[in-house]
Amino acid sequence: MLYIVGLGLSDERDITVKGLEAVKSCERVYLEAYTSILMVDKQRLEEFYGKEVIIAHRETVESGSDEILHDADHVNVAFLVVGDPYGATTHTDLVIRARERGIA
């Protein structure tokens, strides 16, 4: 399953309870790092979520979506976005690509 999770605008504690539960259930966690900037560094997210966080630059999302979606039909994958998760067309495109592959 692919989880698209909005993180809020400030720090690691702005995530919703459901979002945090989703992140904790994931095998891989990506942080979109080009449309907005979170006020804390990746290490604080990793400590709070208990998961390694992989930085996803624009190129990764636009050209390397296969990496993000790899095995997402068998394992949980999170795509973390600062602010509104659907604020960029690349995020919507990632969801469309996931659906085309039968990934929920």
Side-chain angles (χ1 to χ4, degrees):
M1 175 169 283
L2 177 66
Y3 291 99
I4 309 291
V5 181
L7 296 182
L9 297 172
S10 184
D11 62 30
E12 72 277 13
R13 293 179 177 270
D14 281 350
I15 191 169
T16 65
V17 173
K18 284 185 180 181
L20 182 58
E21 289 172 349
V23 168
K24 289 184 178 239
S25 77
C26 288
E27 185 169 303
R28 291 189 320 278
V29 178
Y30 293 90
L31 172 63
E32 185 265 55
Y34 59 89
T35 56
S36 293
I37 296 176
L38 199 59
M39 302 304 289
V40 296
D41 62 17
K42 179 179 93 127
Q43 182 179 353
R44 286 215 4 221
L45 294 179
E46 291 175 332
E47 290 169 2
F48 189 74
Y49 303 151
K51 296 282 182 175
E52 176 187 4
V53 174
I54 303 160
I55 298 295
H57 299 286
R58 180 181 292 277
E59 300 80 33
T60 304
V61 181
E62 290 180 351
S63 304
S65 62
D66 288 346
E67 173 189 334
I68 296 170
L69 297 176
H70 177 72
D71 284 339
D73 53 340
H74 301 295
V75 299
N76 291 338
V77 176
F79 185 73
L80 310 179
V81 180
V82 178
D84 181 355
Y86 292 102
T89 56
T90 52
H91 306 159
T92 303
D93 182 65
L94 184 63
V95 171
I96 291 169
R97 290 175 192 238
R99 287 186 180 157
E100 287 173 349
R101 293 177 175 210
I103 298 167

